């Protein structure tokens, strides 16, 4: 679930021009789009080891972007 959400959020950020096709972006813009502090948003989308609560944060971020979220 976390991986699907992360990929969907990444695609949406690309479509909005916040992240380019190479994955380069302004952390502040990512944070603003996801409603999280810049560092937290960037770590959430790039970390390799998932932590408890990540799925909830990703679900909330996806909903904030207007993406369909499975419940």
């Amino acid at each position: 679930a976390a991986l699907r959400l992360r990929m969907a959020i990444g695609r949406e950020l690309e479509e909005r021009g916040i992240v380019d096709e190479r994955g380069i972006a302004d952390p502040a813009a990512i944070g603003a789009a996801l409603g999280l502090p810049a560092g937290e948003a960037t770590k959430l989308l790039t970390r390799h080891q998932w932590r408890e609560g990540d799925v909830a944060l990703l679900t909330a971020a996806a909903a904030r972007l207007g993406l369909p979220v499975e419940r």
Side-chain angles (χ1 to χ4, degrees), residues 18 25-39 41-42:
I18 296 171
D26 174 21
I30 293 174
L34 301 185
L36 297 168
T42 302

Side-chain angles (χ1 to χ4, degrees), residues 9 11 14 17 19 23 27-28 30 33 41 43 46-47 50 62 64-68 70:
I9 290 168
R11 282 191 303 269
E14 279 184 31
V19 176
I30 293 174
K43 286 179 186 176
T46 60
R47 73 172 129 235
W50 298 106
R64 181 179 172 96
L65 293 171
L67 298 172
E70 295 178 18

Side-chain angles (χ1 to χ4, degrees), residues 45-70:
L45 295 177
T46 60
R47 73 172 129 235
H48 298 287
Q49 184 173 354
W50 298 106
R51 297 185 178 145
E52 186 174 335
D54 280 357
V55 172
L57 286 171
L58 288 165
T59 301
R64 181 179 172 96
L65 293 171
L67 298 172
V69 179
E70 295 178 18

